[in-house]
Amino acid sequence: MIDRAPAIALRRLLVAACAMLAVGCLYAAPRKIVLIGGAKSEGPARHDYGNGIRLLAGFLQATPAARRGEIAVASYPDGWPADPHAFDGVAAVVLHFDGDTKHPLRDAAHRHQFEALMQRGVGLVALHQASTVPANDDTIGLQRWLGGARFGMADRTTETALLQPATPAHPVASGVQAFAYRDEFYPTIRFAASGRITPILLATLHVQYRDGKAVVEDLPELATVAWAYERPGGGRSFGFSGAHYLVALDQPMLRRTLLNAVLWTAGLEVPPAGASGGAADVAARVAEREMREAPDRRPARSAAADAPTFHHDPQRTGWNPDETALTPTSVAGPSFGLLWESPPLDAVDGQAPRLYASPLYVDRVAITAGEHQGETFAVAFAASSNGYVYAINTEKTGDVAAGRILWRTRLATPCRLQPQPLDAVPTGVLSTPVIDVARGRLYVTSCDPRNSWQAYALDLGSGAILPGWPVRLDEARLNAVNRNAGPRLLPPTRRFDFRVQRGALNLSPDGSRLYVVFGETETGWLASVDTVQAKVDSAFAAVAMPHRGSGGIWGAGGPAVDAAGHVFVVTGSGYDGFVDQAHDWTQSVLELSDTAPHGLQLEGTYTPFNYCVTARMDIDLGSGGATLLPALDATATTTPQLLVLGGKQGNAYLLDRAHMPGRLDRRQPCSEDAAGDGSLLPPQRQPQFAGRGPLSVFGPYSEKDASMDLARARSATAAFRGADGTVHVYMTGNTRAREGSPAGIPPSLVRLDVATAPGEPAWLRIDRRQDSVVFGNPGSPVVSSHGAQDAIVWVLDENAKRSVLLAGADAPSPVLYAFDADSLRVLWKSAPGELSTSGKYNEPLVARGQVLVGTDRIQAFGLGASHLVHARGDVGKAVTPAAAPTIAVPAAGLDGRAIYRQRCAMCHDHPQGNIPPRARIASRPRAEIIEALTHGVMRANAAGLSAQDIEAVAGALQP
């Protein structure tokens, strides 16, 4: 640091002597500073140039230099001074106004005055847009006087940035330390080729607007945001691209920098500790007044627009009744298409993310950390298989583009399930998180290799993991508070921990309990996590020990919760999953209460009549989840409180959830009498039965072939109440060409009506079938409408069989469909390859005129004059192929039995859950075995085998 104290002391002595003797002196006349503002051009306290100039004038007048008579301030806050003597004797000029085509120096008279000042060596300070000239400027020539200029309005960023002194020894940097604050900066100042340019402040910026377009990618760039310039012909200049917000002038280090710059450009000495002047919060007080007096143009926050959980609400209705922009007519027209997409989300070890979790949405979120802190956005939340959670902007806000990632949080390294990774991808987050909007929290679960599954609570505004979290969700903790414990605990029987937390999370009505379910596990679990104490409070095992290996709660819908806090879950099965014992709830719907100090308590059950046979064949009842229907008119039926669900068998079941039909100690005896089923049956005889029975929606009806690629449905249903009061239920699935065939035929989408009659229970009837579309493996349908009008059914189809892997060059590209909710005609569908590879069983989200889809990024569809055109060549493909299995490739000539022992026996000779036993595989046609090993679910295990080797394995299974 240069020692300027002697020179400053000498100056002060001379000024004092001149004042006492009242004689002319070199230092007696104050240096005149002229400050020029301009008209407001943006919202309150932004581009508020007039108030900015008034504040700067006040700060200068409060400096010791002004009190000593070294400077005199003349300000013109409303525009270029008309007084011809305004610049007489001026030492420095401060400019703070709009630039580009509004720049005052485009006026010839103003420019003539300005250039005369510059040629005399007058100092220059230019703030914010005052440094901006037209893109092809050949008139103003500001760069030669200021040392740098911004050409055109194309490049800018509004963010919270860390500004650091670049040249601490320079007088303008005196007393300035690194500081962070929010402002709009220009990252592409073009500097002059001659003269001495000294960077004063540097910042790492994340450009948000470039070349006339909003930028989605978050790419850091080191930029000079403030600079000093010593002009070749004499004179000093200073430029600063910030000061967009009026409150920026309250930032102590920025205020010091600007005051230093004025003194330096005026030819005055800058104190070693820097200049100071003005009250600390004066700019904030002026800004608050401006905000208070200006009309509020921000859209009001609408809780109705929020979609904080899977299937829109805790009841899992799948219905958004507050959509006004998207109508059947507008969606079918030419203006609907892909509007924006986020950047690809983070890869891990070369593997692209997959979004099994569906997006969530909150209409207004105040960001509290990172470069976007201090601003409010409409936000989509996404969670990936790679263990990341993201907040993503959904509407252009200022210069922040739709699709911009506002924050990201990495939870942990994702698991890689054994004996082979799930769908050939890592297993971080699989279930849809849940948001407590009132408390500003997002809850999410993720698996990591060290701690397995854990529940996290994140701050909604920053993504920070809250204190006390995560909460471990291992079987030891669940067993310690299990409310359905058997006579004794048994150790796991599986060689590998293959627990899967796929079912969406949910919350109690007051947010004090987080509900987490597990499936494809030793036993299914419902866990209740105390969100206040951050601990597992209670748990309920779907199957009381000593039986293990069934009862998984794995459907994407997870638990449904009604307004009274009752929790409804649907359990599944596995091959040979039936055991006749008390408190075994395989293949059942369970209703539970959750109260202190009792925790989870069973309140009601339902088990289909044929559970014993479907449990043996891995035909899960719980492949989607329960939907709690909107309440019916109590005068129209004796069962106004209803629940509906589907299952792999393709049936639809309607239950009176106010009076669940099952026992609380054990399931009813197995039966072959469909008419005795405890659900609300249609009055008519069902074709697949001798009489009445559950409604078969996707056929052909089978009690032995409805698992894996033969399953009929794996989705939660969606509800909609029409103008006549009828409650409609939409169900997606797969109708098979014939029993035992994986080939699909229409319908894949069916509309059911809830039929009622006074004094009678309600029942389901098929109202309409969609007869042209065949889905591969659809997620749950969702409905958008404006009340009872303009209803649309949205479906995201994986566009592949269930067994297809999600990594590799041939990973599927899903398809998004829109159907008219009344006629079921196709209104629109996404183009081939338009969507990137996604997860399985996820669903789109409709909010504020946009349809959000989670793939390896967030992709948004809506109404617009122009649509996003893909330039990338990897549409619908994974970034890299899945890693090769670690199992050694067998030597040439090894027979099929030996290959089976090496690669298959560890699972299929000792099966658990949904792993089929060897006998079950051997019963399948040879072509299906070969297909599974070549292209299907077992492809990863068969890596490295030749076609002849695969044929040999199939032959060994079918001697």
Side-chain angles (χ1 to χ4, degrees):
M1 178 67 72
I2 299 172
D3 186 4
R4 296 190 294 275
I8 293 171
L10 177 61
R11 171 184 290 278
R12 290 173 178 170
L13 285 172
L14 289 169
V15 170
C18 292
M20 291 174 62
L21 298 172
V23 298
C25 181
L26 174 65
Y27 296 99
R31 299 296 178 98
K32 182 178 180 180
I33 312 296
V34 172
L35 298 93
I36 305 173
K40 297 178 182 179
S41 63
E42 288 199 10
R46 294 176 291 172
H47 284 201
D48 191 351
Y49 302 117
N51 281 324
I53 288 297
R54 293 183 185 94
L55 290 170
L56 284 170
F59 299 157
L60 284 167
Q61 290 165 344
T63 60
R67 293 197 298 270
R68 293 193 300 266
E70 297 177 23
I71 61 174
V73 179
S75 64
Y76 301 88
D78 299 319
W80 199 269
D83 180 0
H85 302 291
F87 297 110
D88 291 354
V90 66
V93 177
V94 179
L95 308 180
H96 191 33
F97 41 60
D98 270 338
D100 194 43
T101 58
K102 298 179 181 179
H103 206 294
L105 294 182
R106 297 189 72 210
D107 180 279
H110 298 163
R111 190 167 61 253
H112 178 75
Q113 285 181 300
F114 175 76
E115 290 183 346
L117 298 175
M118 295 299 99
Q119 289 167 358
R120 291 207 324 256
V122 170
L124 172 64
V125 173
L127 306 179
H128 202 47
Q129 274 201 19
S131 65
T132 300
V133 298
N136 299 308
D137 176 59
D138 58 2
T139 301
I140 298 175
L142 183 64
Q143 187 187 59
R144 58 187 166 139
W145 305 118
L146 185 59
R150 173 185 177 228
F151 288 80
M153 303 283 282
D155 300 347
R156 59 184 181 267
T157 180
T158 303
E159 61 178 284
T160 298
L162 176 64
L163 276 60
Q164 302 190 68
T167 313
H170 194 280
V172 176
S174 297
V176 177
Q177 300 174 349
F179 60 100
Y181 83 111
R182 183 175 181 79
D183 210 333
E184 180 183 271
F185 302 101
Y186 306 141
T188 52
I189 300 293
R190 281 195 248 161
F191 293 103
S194 60
R196 183 179 178 184
I197 297 171
T198 304
I200 299 299
L201 294 173
L202 299 176
T204 298
L205 303 178
H206 305 77
V207 179
Q208 295 165 9
Y209 206 80
R210 170 158 287 163
D211 299 328
K213 297 179 180 179
V215 178
V216 174
E217 290 79 7
D218 184 1
L219 303 176
E221 300 179 12
L222 186 64
T224 297
V225 297
W227 66 96
Y229 182 52
E230 296 176 59
R231 304 196 294 265
R236 297 171 175 177
S237 300
F238 171 83
F240 176 61
S241 70
H244 170 87
Y245 296 104
L246 193 64
V247 293
L249 300 178
D250 270 345
Q251 219 298 325
M253 290 296 112
L254 176 59
R255 184 189 299 183
R256 176 169 293 169
T257 302
L258 299 183
L259 294 176
N260 289 350
V262 171
L263 296 180
W264 179 74
T265 57
L268 295 170
E269 292 288 341
V270 178
S276 61
D281 62 348
V282 60
R285 291 199 301 271
V286 174
E288 288 170 5
R289 184 194 69 211
E290 293 292 313
M291 295 288 288
R292 186 170 54 251
E293 295 177 355
D296 190 356
R297 296 182 176 86
R298 297 172 299 172
R301 184 188 177 279
S302 171
D306 294 342
T309 188
F310 179 86
H311 231 41
H312 192 72
D313 50 44
Q315 296 78 31
R316 308 302 197 212
T317 65
W319 179 22
N320 172 9
D322 298 294
E323 176 53 52
T324 58
L326 301 179
T327 68
T329 299
S330 65
V331 170
S335 66
F336 186 82
L338 182 62
L339 293 181
W340 58 264
E341 56 184 24
S342 74
L345 304 180
D346 293 87
V348 169
D349 296 332
Q351 289 199 266
R354 299 289 177 251
L355 267 64
Y356 293 78
S358 301
L360 301 176
Y361 175 85
V362 177
D363 199 46
R364 294 192 69 187
V365 177
I367 301 300
T368 57
E371 60 264 27
H372 303 291
Q373 70 181 78
E375 290 293 296
T376 298
F377 299 89
V379 180
F381 295 90
S384 79
S385 61
N386 283 342
Y388 283 82
V389 183
Y390 305 84
I392 298 172
N393 183 33
T394 65
E395 298 175 5
K396 188 174 184 297
T397 304
D399 288 335
V400 182
R404 188 79 171 217
I405 296 173
L406 304 173
W407 56 252
R408 59 161 50 81
T409 297
R410 187 178 189 185
L411 303 176
T413 300
C415 291
R416 296 180 183 274
L417 298 186
Q418 297 296 326
Q420 65 183 43
L422 179 71
D423 298 327
V425 298
T427 303
V429 180
L430 296 183
S431 71
T432 302
V434 65
I435 295 172
D436 186 334
V437 179
R439 296 171 71 188
R441 290 183 171 192
L442 180 147
Y443 298 101
V444 61
T445 60
S446 188
C447 183
D448 73 75
R450 180 177 180 181
N451 297 306
S452 191
W453 290 98
Q454 299 185 99
Y456 296 79
L458 307 185
D459 177 79
L460 205 60
S462 67
I465 299 173
L466 296 177
W469 299 81
V471 174
R472 286 191 66 176
L473 299 169
D474 54 27
E475 280 211 348
R477 284 170 174 77
L478 301 185
N479 272 309
V481 291
N482 183 11
R483 298 302 196 269
N484 190 35
R488 70 182 189 281
L489 299 181
L490 291 179
T493 56
R494 278 187 170 180
R495 178 176 175 183
F496 301 103
D497 180 3
F498 201 84
R499 292 191 304 148
V500 172
Q501 204 291 292
R502 192 198 300 269
L505 309 184
N506 212 336
L507 287 168
S508 62
D510 65 357
S512 66
R513 294 292 185 271
L514 170 69
Y515 296 115
V516 185
V517 292
F518 285 93
E520 298 179 62
T521 51
E522 290 285 357
T523 182
W525 285 102
L526 168 65
S528 174
V529 179
D530 183 332
T531 63
V532 178
Q533 301 295 325
K535 66 175 184 177
V536 179
D537 184 71
S538 67
F540 191 93
V543 176
M545 297 177 194
H547 176 214
R548 271 185 174 271
S550 192
I553 307 170
W554 63 270
V561 181
D562 69 13
H566 297 104
V567 183
F568 297 83
V569 294
V570 192
T571 70
S573 179
Y575 288 100
D576 296 327
F578 168 67
V579 169
D580 185 13
Q581 67 169 4
H583 308 295
D584 187 316
W585 299 113
T586 295
Q587 295 290 74
S588 299
V589 180
L590 308 180
E591 176 191 2
L592 302 104
S593 61
D594 187 15
T595 58
H598 306 293
L600 292 167
Q601 296 289 315
L602 191 63
E603 301 289 347
T605 72
Y606 161 75
T607 307
F609 75 99
N610 60 346
Y611 69 94
C612 51
V613 61
T614 56
R616 289 195 178 101
M617 302 302 295
D618 189 36
I619 304 177
D620 294 78
L621 182 70
S623 61
T627 296
L628 310 185
L629 297 181
L632 304 182
D633 182 352
T635 65
T637 179
T638 59
T639 56
Q641 302 293 325
L642 297 172
L643 173 158
V644 67
L645 71 150
K648 283 185 182 178
Q649 198 172 18
N651 296 338
Y653 305 88
L654 187 68
L655 301 177
D656 179 1
R657 73 173 192 265
H659 302 90
M660 295 287 282
R663 298 166 55 174
L664 298 182
D665 58 342
R666 66 188 306 138
R667 297 165 294 189
Q668 79 275 6
C670 294
S671 172
E672 297 180 359
D673 181 12
D677 192 85
S679 61
L680 302 179
L681 302 178
Q684 305 86 2
R685 174 188 177 275
Q686 297 302 301
Q688 68 274 19
F689 304 122
R692 299 173 64 197
L695 187 67
S696 179
V697 179
F698 302 109
Y701 181 86
S702 174
E703 293 184 341
K704 57 181 181 177
D705 283 318
S707 65
M708 289 302 295
D709 289 340
L710 306 180
R712 310 299 196 260
R714 291 188 180 87
S715 61
T717 59
F720 167 66
R721 193 196 302 273
D724 64 355
T726 300
V727 172
H728 306 286
V729 175
Y730 297 89
M731 187 172 175
T732 57
N734 301 101
T735 301
R736 300 302 174 189
R738 62 186 181 280
E739 189 171 357
S741 171
I745 60 173
S748 285
L749 171 65
V750 174
R751 185 172 86 164
L752 312 175
D753 282 353
V754 179
T756 60
E760 299 292 335
W763 71 93
L764 288 175
R765 64 186 175 202
I766 294 176
D767 174 66
R768 190 153 296 171
R769 296 178 174 89
Q770 211 291 330
D771 60 4
S772 63
V773 173
V774 177
F775 295 141
N777 186 32
S780 301
V782 296
V783 179
S784 66
S785 72
H786 183 199
Q789 307 298 320
D790 296 325
I792 300 173
V793 180
W794 303 88
V795 180
L796 181 65
D797 179 28
E798 184 189 352
N799 197 27
K801 292 186 296 186
R802 157 65 182 87
S803 62
V804 168
L805 305 182
L806 298 181
D810 57 349
S813 176
V815 179
L816 175 65
Y817 290 87
F819 299 91
D820 183 284
D822 183 38
S823 66
L824 298 189
R825 68 182 176 91
V826 178
L827 300 171
W828 175 91
K829 71 174 183 177
S830 58
E834 193 168 21
L835 289 170
S836 302
T837 301
S838 185
K840 294 180 178 177
Y841 317 133
N842 55 351
E843 65 181 24
L845 181 147
V846 184
R848 291 286 195 192
Q850 297 189 51
V851 184
L852 307 179
V853 179
T855 56
D856 66 345
R857 65 199 76 192
I858 293 294
Q859 298 180 257
F861 296 81
L863 304 173
S866 61
H867 298 127
L868 186 65
V869 177
H870 291 287
R872 65 184 192 274
D874 63 335
V875 175
K877 304 301 180 187
V879 172
T880 58
T886 56
I887 304 172
V889 177
L894 209 59
D895 66 23
R897 290 184 179 85
I899 297 172
Y900 176 86
R901 286 195 299 271
Q902 280 193 353
R903 299 192 175 215
C904 312
M906 71 177 73
C907 292
H908 297 293
D909 285 1
H910 307 282
Q912 289 288 335
N914 64 348
I915 298 176
R918 175 173 179 161
R920 199 78 65 198
I921 299 173
S923 69
R924 307 307 303 165
R926 179 176 293 203
E928 288 187 18
I929 299 173
I930 294 172
E931 171 70 13
L933 289 166
T934 305
H935 303 291
V937 69
M938 301 306 297
R939 185 178 67 177
N941 283 61
L945 296 181
S946 67
Q948 292 80 7
D949 291 333
I950 290 173
E951 286 275 2
V953 173
L957 287 166
Q958 294 182 325

